[in-house]
Amino acid sequence: MTETEDYITQITEEVQSANQWLPALYEQLAKRIVGQHYLIDRLLVGLLANGHVLLEGLPGLAKTSTINALALAVNSDFSRIQFTPDLLPADLIGTLIYNAKDNVYTTHKGPLFGNLILADEINRAPAKVQSALLEAMQEHQVTIGDTIYPLPEPFLVLATQNPVDQEGTYPLPEAQMDRFMLKVVVEYPEEHEELQILDIMAQTRPKIPIEPVLSPEHILAMQDIVDKIYVDTSVRQYIVSLVMATREPARVDEELVPYIKYGASPRATINLTLAARAKAFLSGRGYVTPDDVKDMALDVMRHRINTTYEAAADEVTREDILTRVLELVPVP
């Protein structure tokens, strides 16, 4: 057995020992959330990979309910921020309050000082407020006055947004979008799932308690294990090739060239690797496969490429482009 095989065996044992909480977590979430397995999987990937998650979908698709249920199952500090057009940056990060009696300023910390932050309907607030999240999401710190305050660890922003063509929405700036590791599109439930939803939730005051099964310390420990998951050189090259194909589409298909204004940033390369590692962790493996990469590629890159007017005219979506890239880039 080679040194690499020894390492993979060791990490796989650590992964399988650490992810024994999964059945209990799924059991707690299933009390309130019917179906939405894809959504739950992506939220767990974000949690394990220390990456922020943006959920997009029409109202009423359990986006907020799923995040609330996850926050209850993870015994951590949870803040919910409802984004509205009149929200101010100080409403998120906090502010300095003058005490006239003592002639001093005291710091009032905002709701961002928590482990799990639900930014609900994030695109209903103007860009100035959305941008107040940039430092917190990237640096895990905020600046109030002249002082920098570190945010608690783990720190994860789980944001929901309505489709941008809905009334009263503001598109997120590109710099803000790039801070999200994943952008997940939430779809309608299946018919049999809707019947289950009816059975569980069609009450005036549904009481469905959720027991905590994880702590912040558990999450940090699992993130350390995720960092150790093995990524072979060929898989790393595959990840880079996928990202480069969005910047230089002529590499894979000349027909894609008129449709891409600019491709994914280096942050996409980093986040795709981390997301693939987290996916391997959830699968009980100490190594990443090309299938892990392919499974996460759409959610990691759909918000990181910008399409042209020609794409809009030809009704070519970002998902269409990325699907084509995944078909054409050789898999190791």
Side-chain angles (χ1 to χ4, degrees):
M1 186 177 288
T2 66
E3 185 177 337
T4 299
E5 290 172 335
D6 282 339
Y7 179 80
I8 291 174
T9 301
Q10 176 189 341
I11 297 303
T12 298
E13 290 174 357
E14 288 189 42
V15 167
Q16 292 176 352
S17 174
N19 73 1
Q20 292 179 2
W21 52 269
L22 271 176
L25 180 62
Y26 285 132
E27 180 183 350
Q28 294 300 319
L29 295 178
K31 292 180 179 180
R32 288 194 186 180
I33 308 302
V34 176
Q36 299 293 9
H37 303 296
Y38 184 85
L39 169 57
I40 292 171
D41 178 81
R42 268 34 185 182
L43 288 177
L44 293 179
V45 166
L47 197 64
L48 292 168
N50 197 24
H52 311 293
V53 183
L54 176 64
L55 310 179
E56 179 177 285
L58 295 168
L61 295 182
K63 301 185 299 296
T64 302
S65 297
T66 303
I67 295 172
N68 273 318
L70 179 63
L72 291 171
V74 178
N75 189 19
S76 58
D77 291 332
F78 173 67
S79 297
R80 181 182 186 274
I81 307 170
Q82 182 65 50
F83 279 65
T84 56
D86 60 347
L87 203 67
L88 298 173
D91 296 327
L92 302 182
I93 64 174
T95 188
L96 295 173
I97 298 176
Y98 179 65
N99 185 331
K101 180 179 179 181
D102 299 325
N103 194 31
V104 295
Y105 284 93
T106 57
T107 302
H108 173 73
K109 294 180 179 179
L112 277 186
F113 286 84
N115 297 119
L116 296 181
I117 309 298
L118 168 55
D120 210 4
E121 296 187 304
I122 190 173
N123 62 335
R124 291 211 179 276
K128 184 177 181 179
V129 175
Q130 295 168 1
S131 297
L133 281 172
L134 286 175
E135 181 186 14
M137 293 174 67
Q138 182 63 29
E139 308 295 338
H140 288 206
Q141 65 183 33
V142 297
T143 303
I144 304 175
D146 296 328
T147 307
I148 295 175
Y149 295 91
L151 294 168
E153 295 290 349
F155 175 75
L156 187 67
V157 175
L158 305 171
T160 70
Q161 75 168 7
N162 296 318
V164 293
D165 56 348
Q166 281 209 324
E167 184 177 354
T169 58
Y170 301 84
L172 291 175
E174 286 81 359
Q176 177 76 34
M177 290 290 285
D178 203 39
R179 260 60 174 193
F180 285 100
M181 171 177 281
L182 306 174
K183 179 184 176 183
V184 182
V185 177
V186 185
E187 304 290 350
Y188 284 116
E190 301 290 336
E191 184 174 349
H192 70 278
E193 293 173 340
E194 194 118 3
L195 283 170
Q196 289 179 264
I197 293 170
L198 185 63
D199 293 337
I200 295 174
M201 301 303 296
Q203 304 174 41
T204 55
R205 291 187 299 275
K207 296 178 181 178
I208 310 169
I210 290 182
E211 301 295 329
V213 296
L214 281 178
S215 69
E217 291 74 24
H218 284 133
I219 294 170
L220 291 173
M222 288 184 291
Q223 288 176 353
D224 289 340
I225 295 174
V226 166
D227 285 339
K228 293 191 250 181
I229 288 177
Y230 179 74
V231 186
D232 190 73
T233 303
S234 61
V235 177
R236 292 171 182 265
Q237 182 58 56
Y238 179 53
I239 291 170
V240 172
S241 296
L242 287 174
V243 174
M244 293 302 297
T246 67
R247 301 181 204 165
E248 302 173 16
R251 287 184 174 201
V252 292
D253 190 350
E254 289 284 351
E255 293 183 3
L256 293 178
V257 174
Y259 297 144
I260 301 177
K261 187 175 181 181
Y262 59 79
S265 69
R267 195 178 277 124
T269 309
I270 297 168
N271 285 343
L272 185 50
T273 305
L274 288 172
R277 278 180 162 150
K279 185 67 178 174
F281 182 98
L282 292 174
S283 301
R285 282 183 280 101
Y287 59 93
V288 171
T289 67
D291 284 339
D292 294 326
V293 176
K294 292 183 74 171
D295 191 41
M296 300 306 308
L298 201 60
D299 293 322
V300 171
M301 292 199 289
R302 65 155 48 98
H303 56 298
R304 289 188 162 95
I305 65 172
N306 202 325
T307 53
T308 62
Y309 291 114
E310 287 89 339
D314 292 343
E315 298 183 343
V316 175
T317 65
R318 299 178 184 186
E319 286 79 2
D320 294 333
I321 293 170
L322 291 171
T323 300
R324 185 67 175 153
V325 167
L326 287 168
E327 288 173 354
L328 294 176
V329 172
V331 180

